[in-house]
Amino acid sequence: MRAVRWPSVSEIAWGLASDRIAIMLFVALIVMTMLAAGPLHPVDNFLNELHRPYWDVLREPLIFWPDNVASRYVALPVLGVTTLQLAYWHRSWRPIILGAGGVFGMMSMVSVMKLLFNRGHAKHYDPDFFAGAGNVAFPSGHGANAILIYGLVLFLIIRFGAARPHIIKRLAYCIVCIALLQSTVSIYLHFHWFTDLVAGMIAGGFALRLTIRLDRMIPHGHTVQWWPWYGRESEDSAQVRG
């Protein structure tokens, strides 16, 4: 059997850094960060100070239900079930590698940005950066989750042909609806500024694009007999046939 040559670290780094769409998203993230630091404060303040109708009635239901749609403890199980099922069907580590790598990369990037910019939460009515330790509003992790995690689910389904085209289109619409719902609820509840959510979704798209690029660099082919019972089944069948 011919040995599979895996790309070197430098080849992976160059492949990720040279992706045009990833570069465009990275530039968009930088631009949005600069706009969120000052020029878009009027927009943030305007949306944050709008009257919230039915606040007393809707606040708790929104916190416990729609606001959790893009949370990690809801989105990650969906991604986990998808990756494990596809890995089982195709006897390949690829879905697990892509799922774990994409989420880890996105969480690392968002966490670094949160700690670097220290933006205060919208409930404090101060959109400035560098508000001190404990202020981690920018960018929105929920916004990044909506695009990266659910986007990974859709990409893996497309990548492994696990659904028909009309189902894939509906799933794509669902992701758009989840992102819009999450953004609207977060702004209504004073959980995030508008620019937090836009930056979070751009960051999620950036991480998703890098994950797709990484998939193209991983050698093709299935990891055969990576579960013990496949090997035993093959041996038993060979003995019966023999």
Side-chain angles (χ1 to χ4, degrees):
M1 183 179 295
R2 187 177 62 179
V4 177
R5 192 187 78 84
W6 285 73
S8 64
V9 175
S10 60
E11 288 174 335
I12 292 176
W14 173 250
L16 296 178
S18 61
D19 186 86
R20 293 183 180 179
I21 297 179
I23 293 173
M24 292 172 60
L25 289 171
F26 182 70
V27 172
L29 183 59
I30 293 176
V31 171
M32 180 51 61
T33 301
M34 296 173 64
L35 293 176
L40 287 183
H41 280 186
V43 176
D44 282 331
N45 285 321
F46 172 76
L47 294 175
N48 197 50
E49 294 170 3
L50 281 176
H51 173 65
R52 267 58 175 171
Y54 307 106
W55 173 261
D56 294 333
V57 177
L58 295 178
R59 181 176 177 274
E60 288 193 5
L62 289 177
I63 291 174
F64 288 109
W65 294 101
D67 187 58
N68 289 323
V69 173
S71 63
R72 283 193 291 272
Y73 63 84
V74 172
L76 283 180
V78 176
L79 177 62
V81 170
T82 303
T83 56
L84 291 176
Q85 187 65 52
L86 291 174
Y88 178 81
W89 282 348
H90 294 272
R91 304 182 188 181
S92 172
W93 285 100
R94 185 181 295 263
I96 297 175
I97 293 173
L98 295 176
V103 172
F104 178 78
M106 180 271 292
M107 291 177 61
S108 299
M109 177 177 60
V110 169
S111 297
V112 169
M113 292 182 68
K114 284 179 176 290
L115 295 175
L116 178 64
F117 294 111
N118 293 136
R119 191 183 205 183
H121 291 276
K123 63 183 178 181
H124 299 313
Y125 292 89
D126 183 3
D128 288 338
F129 283 8
F130 311 113
N135 294 282
V136 290
F138 183 90
S140 168
H142 280 53
N145 292 340
I147 302 300
L148 183 276
I149 299 180
Y150 289 115
L152 270 178
V153 171
L154 180 61
F155 167 69
L156 290 173
I157 291 174
I158 296 173
R159 172 70 174 75
F160 290 93
R164 296 180 179 179
H166 69 281
I167 299 297
I168 291 174
K169 185 179 295 185
R170 292 175 184 176
L171 291 175
Y173 290 148
C174 287
I175 294 175
V176 173
C177 291
I178 288 173
L180 293 176
L181 175 65
Q182 181 64 58
S183 300
T184 303
V185 170
S186 292
I187 292 174
Y188 180 89
L189 294 173
H190 298 291
F191 284 173
H192 277 290
W193 303 96
F194 169 74
T195 49
D196 295 346
L197 295 155
V198 176
M201 287 187 282
I202 295 174
F206 175 65
L208 177 61
R209 180 60 191 180
L210 291 182
T211 306
I212 295 173
R213 179 70 175 181
L214 179 64
D215 172 63
R216 296 178 181 177
M217 292 185 288
I218 296 177
H220 293 281
H222 297 154
T223 305
V224 181
Q225 298 181 2
W226 64 307
W227 273 300
W229 57 82
Y230 283 127
R232 288 198 299 268
E233 181 180 356
S234 298
E235 293 173 3
D236 295 341
S237 298
Q239 290 176 1
V240 170
R241 293 177 183 176

